Amino acid sequence: MKLRSLRGPTAALTTLALAAAATLAAALGAGSASAATTVRVGLGGYSDARPAGTVGPSNSDGAPVTPKVTARMAGQAAPTNDWWSSLIYQRYAGNPYSENLYAHPMTFKAQAAGLEVGYPTTPTITSDGRQYDYTHTRDLTLGVAGLNSPDTKVDGWSDWTVTPYWADSAHTFSATIGHGLPYVYAHATGGAAQVTTASAPTVFSNQGSVLGITVGGHHYGLFAPTGSSWSVNGTTLTANLGGKDYYSVALLPSTADLAQFRTYAYNFVTDTRVGWTYDQAAGKLTTTFTATTAAQEGSGTGTLLALYPQQWQATPDALTALTYTSPRGTMKVRQGSSFSTVQSVTGVLPSLPDVGAYDRTALDGYLHQVSDASDPFNGATDTYWVGKALGQMAQLVPIADQLGDTAARDKLLGLMKGKLQTWFAGTGSPGFAYDSTWKTLIGYPASYGTDAELNDHHFHYGYFVQAAATVARYDSAWAADAQWGGMVKLLTKDAANTDRTDARFPWLRNFDPYEGHGWASGHAGFAAGNNEESSSESLNFSAGLLLFGAATGDTALRDLGVYLYTTEANAVQQYWFDADHQVFPAGFQHSTVGMVWGSGAAYSTWWTAAPGMIHGINFLPVTSGSLYLARRKDDLAANLAELKAGNGGAFTDWRDLLWEAEALTDPAAAKADWDAGKAGYTPEEGESRAHTYHWIYDLATLGTLDPATTADTPTAAVFVNGTTRTHVAHNYTTAARTVRFSDGYTLTVPARSTASERGTKPDGGTGGATNSPSPSASPSPSPSSSPSTSPSPSTSPSSPQTRPGTLYLQPNGTLTTAYGTGATGSTIASGGGANHDGTPYQPLTYTLTHLTGTLRPGGSTDFDLYVDAGSSVALAQQARVSYDFDGNGTVDRTETYRYFATDPVPGWERYGATSGVQATTGAPLANLSNGTVKVEVWPALGNAPAQLRTGATQSQGSASVLRLPFD
């Protein structure tokens, strides 16, 4: 077995050393478990105490640890697996403060005198080019004069902030810090506010209570209460707080920004909340980030928030010109207390349809290699390897069903049910035990620190949830809450609880909602901060939530899966794969990383330097939830090309996983690789020959994913093979339904079936959700702009009314509700070498009148425009959408989108609304009553013409479309 998700102080620990450490820890923890009681959940349950001889959360010496919190936070569910978890989980007995904390843009570290503050802007890259880090380096230490605290405790937290707390016999100090916060909000008693600097500061502004300094090339604003003044004595800066207890420090992009930051310096952030809404009809996920502020003086509101790339790429909200450097690329600043992002939801299929030109007898033979094995679980006993075996079988069940091999299907389902029921029985080991101190559910036998370090719960438990989703597809009674579904849902809560009133678990333990991805280490006890290696196993957990929710009719769970899956897929695209080449620093020599750290990223894994496994660890397990990897086929192709180039033109390690990934970007090449190598490889431990063969041959027929087309169900996808498009959707419910795709195609899907243009396959067994798959309410508040009252038309319209929806750009300058009759290129004029960014210049214009519709709550404009600059360089195209809500001839709203820089390679490129809104004018979106919409496309930059694809038929695909958020 390969050592996989191990979290340790180095990546070079040997199997022997790990086994010895585990034995020692077990010995130290032996006998510490109390007599257990089974807490019943449906037909299963969990133990309220861990099995005898096992360990729970411990420090590096093996001693038990408890959450390091103040008295007022005692008993609350401690957020482990976060960017700041080394504050609350003391991993090392000799450090009662914290390890380095990477909030971005600032970095921090707690110590006896207070809080170190840094802003690393220059990466350190290892000599072999395999790792980069923006390592915390102290510029300042914030505190109160005379403070010498014996420890640092946590005095509060919110969705992306934390408040560490220091106290000695005469002083107290606390500081609220967080992702995207360019401020530290401090409270101090017992002395003067004190800031010490790592080197002599340069004072560029002294306004008494406001001081501007530069330290190590970084600029800071220090804000004491009005009426006080800062005193500078070498590297020590103090301010008498004059009976007040607050001050703040801001990281300034430049010295010229001090006045702007002063505006918000006394508006302390006291809470942060993330909420989301899945608009099923539009195939859109809207996520809202809200910071609550409290004015320490005056009555100011609002703040400044720095957005990560995956956020600013998807926000329709206006941003300032201010930026920061971070390990995740450039952060851009929003002025205000909230912002939202809008992302397209590309679906998750429970399995690929039965369309491959495989040899069905050979495929069934491969299937029986697993179903007829003497031990299908390969001796696995712990949560990870049992989970991997369950995941392997879960992928084979629908293949057996497609082949009509019901005996193999039911045998596999029986094996899965039996193993899940054993783990869900709640009667010891194997099973799950609840730790009431850390508010977590731990599976025993554990592995890779899921017990002693609270590592990897989403990785391990994701396999259990995926297996349960497959069982639910074929046996809905088994998955009912009153039977075994209740335990499945409890397992999901451990890693992804969204019920803020459920005190049994922390909110979203394994997911960082602001940075947009998971964290694996429970304690984050590393100089590089927290880390996540296998992003694909994190997404496997999210896909499992989506599928189990869909299979059981639990739309809240399904929509949580949609949120986690969509958000992390976009973050992974940037931070693991650097798809836009804007994150990895120059000098880092790879197109992908094996693991992301708070401080940077590394082309490595915890257990091997083998390139195939470094690439493959962010592909496995390959399932129909892996389709997100194909959203950027260009990037995936480059990822695999680097690997092949370093291996003499072939894959070596984990060839099956890599062939499956290759099939997502070049199905023909993957088929050729499989055909040539199928006889001489060993399947990866969670894979099978049957699934690999089925996957590759299916995609050889289907083609590659069309990421631009969404559907009004999350269990759908569209594939393109040449000029042939295949729309696929799965219906878990007991009634037929019509699935509508954003390209205008509609597909009738019978009950409990997968359907496409190529045919329909009903599921066997006795599954089927009985309720309607309508979207559920957002699990937490997700405010959106309320549309203004729709104006009543002054006269009755004299022309037929058109219902808005998907509109197609036609060569004659119109928008239609139907596809065109044949694709053509409409010429976008040359920009003449001038900069027309934001201002239409000789635009192509497309208009539709007499539109009536009701605005969907939280809805937004969307479009896909296919453009081609041929071989011309340095061209960019731009779009603006205008609305006249009542058709009276006055434009009520305009939305100008950021321009799209075309490449100098002939071929159509997709310019989408995901490029982001650059500017809006006029009123908020409102209902349409006999209204008019207009699209303008023009050259923003360049000195040569380009083409806009218009008039495409459905079979031709790549149709330029405008999608309106109205019903």
Side-chain angles (χ1 to χ4, degrees):
M1 293 189 295
K2 301 294 189 296
L3 292 173
R4 199 142 294 166
S5 302
L6 178 67
R7 306 299 180 222
T10 70
L13 294 173
T14 64
T15 306
L16 181 61
L18 291 168
T23 301
L24 174 61
L28 289 169
S32 60
S34 60
T37 299
T38 298
V39 180
R40 287 295 168 195
V41 180
L43 296 182
Y46 61 91
S47 173
D48 65 356
R50 67 176 186 268
T54 61
V55 298
S58 312
N59 67 16
S60 60
D61 296 328
V65 292
T66 58
K68 195 156 56 78
V69 297
T70 60
R72 79 182 191 92
M73 302 304 293
Q76 297 196 33
T80 59
N81 306 81
D82 215 329
W83 64 269
W84 56 266
S85 290
S86 67
L87 277 166
I88 203 168
Y89 189 132
Q90 186 176 340
R91 179 62 176 161
Y92 308 106
N95 181 4
Y97 303 104
S98 80
E99 301 304 317
N100 293 339
L101 308 170
Y102 293 88
H104 309 145
M106 286 191 278
T107 60
F108 305 100
K109 187 176 184 179
Q111 43 109 317
L115 182 68
E116 292 184 4
V117 178
Y119 176 46
T121 53
T122 302
T124 299
I125 302 174
T126 56
S127 59
D128 60 5
R130 295 170 68 96
Q131 181 166 337
Y132 71 88
D133 292 283
Y134 290 78
T135 305
H136 167 69
T137 303
R138 182 179 79 93
D139 285 340
L140 316 173
T141 301
L142 314 186
V144 55
L147 177 66
N148 184 21
S149 180
D151 57 25
T152 305
K153 297 177 180 177
V154 175
D155 193 45
W157 55 78
S158 66
D159 289 2
W160 69 85
T161 68
V162 64
T163 302
Y165 177 87
W166 295 254
D168 60 21
S169 60
H171 312 84
T172 67
F173 178 69
S174 66
T176 297
I177 56 179
H179 277 323
L181 297 189
Y183 294 93
V184 178
Y185 305 103
H187 288 277
T189 66
Q194 178 173 285
V195 176
T196 60
T197 59
S199 59
T202 299
V203 177
F204 64 82
S205 178
N206 189 339
Q207 305 168 38
S209 62
V210 176
L211 190 70
I213 63 172
T214 300
V215 179
H218 306 140
H219 313 298
Y220 295 92
L222 281 56
F223 305 94
T226 299
S228 61
S229 62
W230 287 96
S231 172
V232 180
N233 184 10
T235 58
T236 302
L237 294 72
T238 57
N240 189 321
L241 296 176
K244 307 293 178 58
D245 71 344
Y246 59 86
Y247 71 96
S248 67
V249 174
L251 174 64
L252 308 177
S254 74
T255 58
D257 300 316
L258 181 63
Q260 183 173 3
F261 278 72
R262 180 178 185 172
T263 302
Y264 300 103
Y266 301 103
N267 301 346
F268 280 26
V269 170
T270 57
D271 189 29
T272 57
R273 291 270 176 135
V274 173
W276 58 89
T277 302
Y278 169 41
D279 183 343
Q280 183 174 335
K284 296 291 183 183
L285 174 74
T286 299
T287 306
T288 302
F289 301 82
T290 303
T292 301
T293 60
Q296 303 302 294
E297 52 185 63
S299 57
T301 60
T303 189
L304 297 170
L305 298 169
L307 279 62
Y308 285 110
Q310 97 280 355
Q311 294 170 319
W312 57 253
Q313 288 171 349
T315 185
D317 299 319
L319 303 176
T320 70
L322 303 174
T323 62
Y324 291 105
T325 297
S326 86
R328 307 293 174 257
T330 299
M331 301 182 78
K332 298 186 178 183
V333 176
R334 162 78 169 162
Q335 183 171 288
S337 58
S338 69
F339 66 91
S340 62
T341 61
V342 181
Q343 302 171 89
S344 295
V345 176
T346 55
V348 174
L349 295 172
S351 57
L352 292 182
D354 183 17
V355 298
Y358 22 70
D359 180 325
R360 301 180 78 84
T361 300
L363 179 59
D364 199 40
Y366 289 145
L367 176 73
H368 280 266
Q369 290 178 359
V370 176
S371 65
D372 295 346
S374 58
D375 178 11
F377 290 92
N378 297 310
T381 60
D382 63 82
T383 49
Y384 186 71
W385 292 103
V386 167
K388 291 275 287 185
L390 287 168
Q392 179 195 60
M393 295 179 199
Q395 298 308 306
L396 295 178
V397 168
I399 297 175
D401 196 43
Q402 290 174 2
L403 292 172
D405 191 342
T406 56
R409 179 199 70 198
D410 293 344
K411 183 177 182 180
L412 290 166
L413 284 169
L415 288 166
M416 293 163 62
K417 290 179 185 178
K419 187 65 69 173
L420 289 168
Q421 289 167 201
T422 297
W423 277 83
F424 290 163
T427 54
S429 179
F432 290 92
Y434 182 72
D435 186 308
S436 60
T437 300
W438 285 93
K439 314 294 187 187
T440 184
L441 204 60
I442 302 174
Y444 293 96
S447 56
Y448 306 122
T450 52
D451 50 355
E453 301 179 61
L454 299 184
N455 296 336
D456 299 357
H457 284 200
H458 58 326
F459 292 168
H460 295 214
Y461 301 171
Y463 289 105
F464 284 72
V465 178
Q466 281 277 9
T470 296
V471 173
R473 179 179 175 185
Y474 296 92
D475 185 351
S476 58
W478 183 94
D481 288 355
Q483 291 199 26
W484 300 98
M487 273 302 296
V488 178
K489 292 179 180 179
L490 191 69
L491 206 59
T492 70
K493 272 183 171 285
D494 178 74
N497 175 36
T498 58
D499 182 354
R500 297 181 188 271
T501 67
D502 188 343
R504 294 174 299 172
F505 303 101
W507 190 77
L508 290 181
R509 179 192 308 280
N510 281 100
F511 191 73
D512 185 326
Y514 202 84
E515 197 160 335
H517 60 80
W519 291 116
S521 172
H523 52 72
F526 306 95
N530 213 322
N531 69 87
E532 180 162 88
E533 183 182 58
S534 183
S535 60
S536 48
E537 285 180 307
S538 183
L539 278 146
N540 183 56
F541 173 80
S542 304
L545 267 60
L546 189 161
L547 294 175
F548 188 79
T552 58
D554 186 336
T555 53
L557 183 62
R558 182 202 67 178
D559 292 357
L560 170 59
V562 168
Y563 162 70
L564 295 173
Y565 181 87
T566 303
T567 304
E568 186 155 24
N570 287 326
V572 167
Q573 181 176 288
Q574 297 300 321
Y575 309 140
W576 275 257
F577 299 148
D578 194 18
D580 293 326
H581 310 296
Q582 299 294 318
V583 175
F584 298 168
F588 181 73
Q589 299 175 7
H590 298 279
S591 63
T592 187
V593 296
M595 57 201 315
V596 162
W597 288 88
S599 63
Y603 185 77
S604 64
T605 72
W606 280 105
W607 82 97
T608 181
M613 294 183 180
I614 292 171
H615 289 247
I617 194 61
N618 285 293
F619 298 152
L620 66 80
V622 175
T623 73
S624 296
S626 303
L627 296 177
Y628 71 94
L629 293 167
R631 292 180 180 179
R632 290 291 297 270
K633 292 187 286 292
D634 57 338
D635 179 70
L636 180 57
N639 181 318
L640 296 170
E642 176 192 330
L643 180 58
K644 274 192 171 181
N647 281 341
F651 300 133
T652 52
D653 303 299
W654 285 352
R655 281 182 283 173
D656 45 0
L657 293 177
L658 300 172
W659 293 335
E660 288 170 310
E662 185 178 42
L664 290 167
T665 184
D666 189 345
K671 181 175 178 294
D673 283 346
W674 160 267
D675 288 343
K678 62 186 178 183
Y681 82 97
T682 300
E684 185 270 335
E685 294 92 330
E687 255 304 344
S688 65
R689 279 186 167 82
H691 179 252
T692 301
Y693 183 27
H694 183 270
W695 177 270
I696 291 171
Y697 268 66
D698 262 346
L699 289 175
T701 299
L702 291 168
T704 57
L705 180 75
D706 173 12
T709 303
T710 61
D712 64 356
T713 174
T715 53
V718 180
F719 300 87
V720 180
N721 190 347
T723 60
T724 301
R725 295 171 64 79
T726 303
H727 300 74
V728 183
H730 186 81
N731 177 13
Y732 279 103
T733 72
T734 55
R737 65 156 298 179
T738 298
V739 175
R740 294 173 174 81
F741 293 84
S742 62
D743 62 4
Y745 190 83
T746 58
L747 179 68
T748 298
V749 188
R752 300 189 58 246
S753 297
T754 297
S756 74
E757 292 95 327
R758 300 175 183 271
T760 297
K761 172 64 176 72
D763 289 338
T766 57
T770 56
N771 69 326
S772 172
S774 58
S776 62
S778 175
S780 55
S782 184
S784 59
S785 299
S786 298
S788 59
T789 303
S790 176
S792 300
S794 57
T795 59
S796 300
S798 58
S799 301
Q801 299 294 289
T802 300
R803 306 299 297 179
T806 300
L807 305 177
Y808 299 85
L809 278 67
Q810 304 299 344
N812 60 359
T814 62
L815 296 166
T816 65
T817 58
Y819 281 96
T821 57
T824 187
S826 298
T827 300
I828 304 171
S830 166
N835 186 336
H836 304 293
D837 182 13
T839 304
Y841 173 77
Q842 298 183 19
L844 295 176
T845 301
Y846 302 86
T847 305
L848 183 61
T849 60
H850 307 302
L851 286 165
T852 294
T854 301
L855 178 66
R856 288 192 293 269
S860 60
T861 309
D862 189 23
F863 62 78
D864 290 313
L865 305 176
Y866 287 87
V867 295
D868 180 21
S871 58
S872 299
V873 299
L875 268 62
Q877 317 308 321
Q878 195 160 24
R880 182 170 75 180
V881 180
S882 303
Y883 291 94
D884 173 358
F885 298 140
D886 56 3
N888 66 358
T890 300
V891 173
D892 296 301
R893 176 179 176 84
T894 66
E895 300 173 354
T896 302
Y897 290 80
R898 296 186 182 102
Y899 64 66
F900 176 77
T902 49
D903 64 33
V905 179
W908 297 109
E909 299 177 78
R910 184 174 68 89
Y911 170 24
T914 52
S915 61
V917 175
Q918 177 174 301
T920 62
T921 64
L925 283 171
N927 297 337
L928 295 173
S929 179
N930 200 37
T932 298
V933 65
K934 179 173 68 175
V935 182
E936 298 168 278
V937 184
W938 71 91
L941 301 172
N943 197 25
Q947 297 292 307
L948 172 67
R949 183 177 172 93
T950 56
T953 65
Q954 181 172 353
S955 61
Q956 288 174 320
S958 298
S960 292
V961 299
L962 172 68
R963 303 183 190 92
L964 302 182
F966 301 90
D967 295 322

